[in-house]
Amino acid sequence: RCAALALALALALSLTGALAADTVFTDITDPETARNVEVLRMMGVIDGVTATTFEPNGTLTRAQFCKMAVEALGKSDQAVIYQNYTIFPDVKAGFWAAGYINLAVRGEDKFIAGFPDGTFQPNSTITYGQAVTVLMRLLGYKDEDVSVVWPDGYLSSAASIGLTEGMNLSGSDTVTRAQAAKLFVNLLNTNKKDSGSTFAASIGNAQEDVVMLNPDTTTSDGVPAVLTSYSENPIPVANRTGSAALSGRKGTLVLNTAGKVLTFVPTDSGTTEDITISSTATGTITAS
């Protein structure tokens, strides 16, 4: 299987040209963070601070995190419906994230609330406890499903279902942009409440055990696409193509109802080895 996969990758490279850079952001040096960011960038959940920088150690505001959550649900198109509401005195209709915040508070999912004084504090830095609570509610959990003590109840329940795997923060800690990316990728891999399916499966058609051969290519008619082991032909993307941070990885391919790629979520199972191909021939490859 390894030889077949390597040959498939070699053929893909010869047919589609060189792969993209490891990441589009020059300030990300950690491979895991690069992969997480690419998963979310493909979905449209996250963007860089500039075209080439991500600021992985920067923080996120409550408004920014709300926007990410709405994008993860695939409901950004509904935000415009809520844009002209004024629920909180510090979130006027003209505020850039008003639609996302109001949708998060009043929409079908209702995954965040304001403060007892009636404000939302959109520009305040989101804490780890707040962030985990939002993601748990996206998974279908409510206050009555966890301990009455907040945020400890949510943090404990989140740890038990794997949502916070790899995280080591207290509830009042701030969350960096890199840590937020990890939390959202964990979300995609976590089962929803009372369900045997993951969050990724709830937002699209999730195909497991797929190998990403080229995350940044085009179809025969020039449409941005990805090439995977799921299909012999490149599949158009719904939002954006990926980068080489996803190349050669096995994981879950998430498609929307139109059959376009929403994102690709790598798995940590198995092993990965980078090789340099020096030559290819029918049925064989030679690695230097």
Side-chain angles (χ1 to χ4, degrees):
R1 291 182 64 187
C2 290
L5 172 58
L7 180 57
L9 180 56
L11 292 174
L13 286 170
S14 66
L15 289 172
T16 60
L19 290 171
D22 283 350
T23 175
V24 298
F25 301 116
T26 58
D27 58 348
I28 297 180
T29 57
D30 175 56
E32 181 185 9
T33 298
R35 290 193 297 271
N36 291 339
V37 169
E38 284 304 297
V39 170
L40 301 174
R41 193 182 65 82
M42 286 185 70
M43 293 179 68
V45 170
I46 205 166
D47 288 300
V49 176
T50 70
T52 58
T53 59
F54 181 73
E55 293 188 7
N57 295 321
T59 57
L60 289 163
T61 65
R62 285 167 51 84
Q64 290 170 333
F65 200 84
C66 262
K67 181 179 184 295
M68 291 175 67
V70 171
E71 294 283 2
L73 282 168
K75 295 187 176 181
S76 60
D77 59 330
Q78 297 181 24
V80 65
I81 302 173
Y82 292 83
Q83 180 66 41
N84 294 322
Y85 286 82
T86 300
I87 300 174
F88 302 102
D90 54 350
V91 183
K92 302 295 185 181
F95 184 64
W96 73 267
Y100 297 103
I101 293 170
N102 294 335
L103 173 61
V105 173
R106 292 279 179 88
E108 180 182 359
D109 299 282
K110 294 182 178 66
F111 55 79
I112 199 169
F115 289 91
D117 64 359
T119 65
F120 186 80
Q121 300 178 23
N123 295 319
S124 295
T125 302
I126 195 162
T127 65
Y128 183 58
Q130 293 168 352
V132 170
T133 299
V134 166
L135 300 186
M136 285 290 284
R137 287 173 177 166
L138 293 186
L139 290 169
Y141 291 87
K142 299 180 180 179
D143 292 350
E144 55 265 32
D145 299 316
V146 301
S147 168
V148 294
V149 179
W150 185 89
D152 296 346
Y154 273 97
L155 294 178
S156 177
S157 296
S160 70
I161 62 174
L163 175 63
T164 55
E165 182 178 354
M167 306 296 292
N168 186 24
L169 298 172
S170 65
S172 60
D173 288 341
T174 57
V175 180
T176 67
R177 289 167 58 82
Q179 290 167 338
K182 181 171 181 59
L183 280 173
F184 271 95
V185 172
N186 284 353
L187 171 74
L188 293 171
N189 288 319
T190 304
N191 286 348
K192 296 197 68 176
K193 179 192 171 187
D194 300 328
S195 171
S197 61
T198 63
F199 183 84
S202 75
I203 61 172
N205 175 15
Q207 298 294 325
E208 299 180 351
D209 296 329
V210 174
V211 177
M212 176 62 75
L213 300 178
N214 191 337
D216 185 12
T217 185
T218 60
T219 62
S220 59
D221 53 356
V223 175
V226 299
L227 180 64
T228 73
S229 61
Y230 179 68
S231 171
E232 293 182 359
N233 300 313
I235 308 173
V237 294
N239 298 297
R240 304 162 178 166
T241 56
S243 77
L246 303 177
S247 298
R249 307 288 303 189
K250 184 177 74 172
T252 300
L253 186 71
V254 186
L255 308 167
N256 66 11
T257 54
K260 294 184 177 181
V261 176
L262 286 173
T263 192
F264 174 79
V265 189
T267 179
D268 290 330
S269 63
T271 59
T272 300
E273 181 180 0
D274 293 329
I275 64 172
T276 300
I277 300 171
S278 61
S279 64
T280 63
T282 304
T284 65
I285 63 171
T286 301
S288 60

